[in-house]
Amino acid sequence: MSEDFKQAALDYHEFPKPGKISVELTTPAQTSRDLSLAYSPGVAEPVKEIAADPENAYRYTAKGNLVAVITDGSAILGLGNLGPLASKPVMEGKSLLFKRFAGVDSIDIEVESESPQAFIDTVRRIANTFGGINLEDIKAPECFEIERTLIEQCEIPVFHDDQHGTAIVTVAGVLNALEIVGKNIADVKMTVLGAGAAAISCSKLLILAGMKPENIFMCDRKGVIHSGRDDLNQYKAGFAIDTDKRTVDDALNGADIFLGLSGPNMVTGEQIKTMAANPIIFACANPVPEIMPEEVAAARDDAIMATGRSDFPNQVNNVLGFPFIFRGALDVRARRINEEMKLAAAKALAGLAKEPVTQEVLDAYGLDSLEFGPEYIIPKAVDSRLLGVVSTAVAQAAIDTGAADGPLPANYPLKSISDI
Ligand SMILES: NC(=O)C1=CN([C@@H]2O[C@H](COP(=O)(O)OP(=O)(O)OC[C@H]3O[C@@H](n4cnc5c(N)ncnc54)[C@H](OP(=O)(O)O)[C@@H]3O)[C@@H](O)[C@H]2O)C=CC1
Ligand SMILES: CC(=O)C(=O)O
Ligand SMILES: [Mg+2]
């Protein structure tokens, strides 16, 4: 990273005010009457209504459009376990994205916790404040039990973004990339580098989309996860296959897809050269991918390349998922975000990439033209159609699967966040 860019990033976070988010008022608070309605004595009326029926919290408070972004700071991007406070810029960033792309009010919460149970207890105790909980950057394997328990114990949607947001966007990108190279999801071999939150969840959703478990070669720091290993946690063990492959080199040789969800600079151009024809390479570690696009381009000219970053073509990043998934879930009062809602979001994303690109998107990226193909497999984050397309797909799937307490809102499909 150049010194200029580093300073620009620090300045962005420091000015005009420290941080990236603030709170705004939605009601007048100027006059004595305003204050007597907003606070004492008027505030007692909604208090009594909510005490009589908790459902009224959705009517009289900000709960229904409020999502908490909650972390313990144990897996901050690909930077590792740097603790809760250091994660705050990322969590504020998620709140920024929620508001910017889906009009969802969001607040970051960084939890100091000595154990997964302490984290669970903290989140459970504050959950009712919110309409949804977006868990973020919590490392595996703890993240799986934390999410499972919180889903069980909370009545609002709880969603670990690094697992499911990433999986939804990855499935969309893989489906489109496979279509472009003319390969069938049921036939392809995939090497996954990383066996944590994102890698496990992406692999599961890809299996649900048609990939064969025996064609997935998942690797952790010790190499390929195979059935001869006795050092696997239960989540990794679910991906252990009978194979002679032992190293990442072995796994990449002949692979159709590389999915990197590990850390920076883990793979070389020499390794990429050994992959099958027309390989699909998703190097999704942030901020530095497993391999840079220029190294892939130098190694071969038939690859489809994606990263998690905004500064290269094909950004496979959960920003394309979580804002719209929560938008749809909140708007139909979904109690859970189920597999059908996730697949619906993935298919909606994949479908939008095949629509003509709008001028808004071309202008934002300084492009003259862009069309579905190797350099454009997935919509751009600034495409305002994502709001309508993805949130409607999610909301409809929630209704169809009985996960929603409410109907599709009259203002659906949403055209812009000013509709909210
Ligand atoms: N583009 C996107 O939208 C997203 C990208 N990511 C990226 O994915 C990465 C992982 O995140 P997450 O799953 O949340 O983190 P976790 O901590 O849950 O998992 C990290 C995984 O990476 C593996 N790993 C780390 N270093 C190596 C190495 N040298 N060789 C092989 N495997 C390695 C770990 O192996 P082991 O199990 O042996 O410790 C572990 O399985 C991060 O870089 C993150 O930025 C995550 C979410 C979204
Ligand atoms: C994008 C994201 O959530 C991550 O890299 O952790
Ligand atoms: Mg994350």
Side-chain angles (χ1 to χ4, degrees):
M1 189 179 291
S2 74
E3 277 306 306
D4 276 359
F5 186 78
K6 180 178 165 183
Q7 192 55 50
L10 291 173
D11 288 349
Y12 179 91
H13 286 80
E14 185 173 357
F15 304 111
K17 286 181 182 174
K20 293 184 290 231
I21 55 170
S22 86
V23 172
E24 67 192 29
L25 305 189
T26 57
T27 51
Q30 303 305 322
T31 65
S32 132
R33 180 168 167 78
D34 292 342
L35 293 184
S36 63
L37 292 173
Y39 195 42
S40 187
V43 72
E45 297 312 318
V47 168
K48 288 184 263 181
E49 293 295 318
I50 296 167
D53 179 1
E55 274 298 293
N56 281 327
Y58 286 94
R59 184 163 178 195
Y60 296 118
T61 76
K63 174 180 167 91
N65 194 43
L66 186 61
V67 168
V69 175
I70 312 188
T71 189
D72 63 359
S74 59
I76 310 174
L77 309 175
L79 303 171
N81 186 348
L82 302 181
L85 189 59
S87 76
K88 192 166 169 62
V90 176
M91 304 310 132
E92 286 190 358
K94 296 284 175 179
S95 293
L96 174 150
L97 299 168
F98 263 122
K99 185 75 174 179
R100 157 73 176 86
F101 291 121
V104 173
D105 293 321
S106 162
I107 186 77
D108 60 299
I109 298 175
E110 293 78 22
V111 180
E112 302 273 355
S113 59
E114 65 283 8
S115 67
Q117 190 57 50
F119 183 86
I120 290 166
D121 290 342
T122 304
V123 176
R124 182 177 45 76
R125 288 189 173 125
I126 61 172
N128 246 343
T129 302
F130 307 100
I133 289 173
N134 184 94
L135 299 172
E136 190 69 41
D137 289 2
I138 302 170
K139 77 178 178 66
E142 293 82 354
C143 63
F144 301 118
E145 186 59 14
I146 286 172
E147 189 199 41
R148 191 192 63 72
T149 311
L150 284 171
I151 287 174
E152 238 172 62
Q153 297 184 354
C154 299
E155 283 167 16
I156 55 173
V158 176
F159 176 90
H160 183 196
D161 174 41
D162 299 283
Q163 290 186 56
H164 315 299
T166 315
I168 287 161
V169 179
T170 299
V171 167
V174 165
L175 290 176
N176 278 353
L178 286 172
E179 185 174 324
I180 292 163
V181 299
K183 295 185 187 179
N184 187 332
I185 191 163
D187 302 330
V188 289
K189 291 193 177 359
M190 176 171 79
T191 298
V192 185
L193 188 54
I200 295 224
S201 188
C202 286
S203 302
K204 280 188 180 165
L205 202 64
L206 281 163
I207 290 169
L208 208 60
M211 196 173 280
K212 297 222 174 86
E214 63 268 29
N215 285 340
I216 298 178
F217 299 85
M218 189 177 282
C219 305
D220 63 7
R221 286 171 216 265
K222 295 189 177 149
V224 173
I225 291 178
H226 61 85
S227 44
R229 279 180 61 174
D230 58 8
D231 59 346
L232 302 172
N233 63 43
Q234 65 180 106
Y235 309 100
K236 291 181 182 180
F239 285 90
I241 54 171
D242 284 326
T243 175
D244 295 335
K245 293 180 191 284
R246 292 292 179 265
T247 64
V248 178
D249 271 358
D250 297 341
L252 273 172
N253 197 338
D256 299 287
I257 302 176
F258 168 72
L259 175 57
L261 291 158
S262 54
N265 304 315
M266 302 276 175
V267 169
T268 64
E270 289 308 307
Q271 288 174 306
I272 294 298
K273 280 183 188 166
T274 69
M275 292 180 68
N278 304 118
I280 295 164
I281 297 163
F282 285 13
C284 292
N286 287 308
V288 180
E290 284 78 2
I291 182 165
M292 294 297 278
E294 49 269 28
E295 293 174 78
V296 170
R300 56 195 300 164
D301 59 11
D302 61 345
I304 292 188
M305 176 72 203
T307 68
R309 296 166 46 138
S310 305
D311 52 351
F312 294 108
N314 297 332
Q315 184 181 23
V316 171
N317 189 301
N318 50 36
V319 63
L320 293 175
F322 68 83
F324 316 110
I325 290 156
F326 271 98
R327 179 76 273 150
L330 292 173
D331 287 346
V332 296
R333 292 282 306 282
R335 295 175 301 281
R336 302 272 181 271
I337 295 172
N338 60 32
E339 300 312 297
E340 290 85 353
M341 292 159 75
K342 293 174 199 166
L343 263 189
K347 287 182 180 161
L349 272 173
L352 183 57
K354 296 177 202 166
E355 298 292 324
V357 175
T358 58
Q359 195 60 45
E360 157 202 56
V361 172
L362 296 176
D363 290 347
Y365 286 81
L367 298 168
D368 292 330
S369 67
L370 189 62
E371 60 184 35
F372 184 62
E375 297 278 297
Y376 180 62
I377 60 170
I378 190 113
K380 299 283 192 195
V382 300
D383 193 329
S384 56
R385 296 170 300 178
L386 284 165
L387 176 66
V389 169
V390 183
S391 56
T392 303
V394 170
Q396 191 59 56
I399 292 169
D400 294 345
T401 55
D405 278 345
L408 202 64
N411 61 354
Y412 264 52
L414 296 167
K415 294 207 169 35
S416 97
I417 57 170
S418 56
D419 288 353
I420 295 154

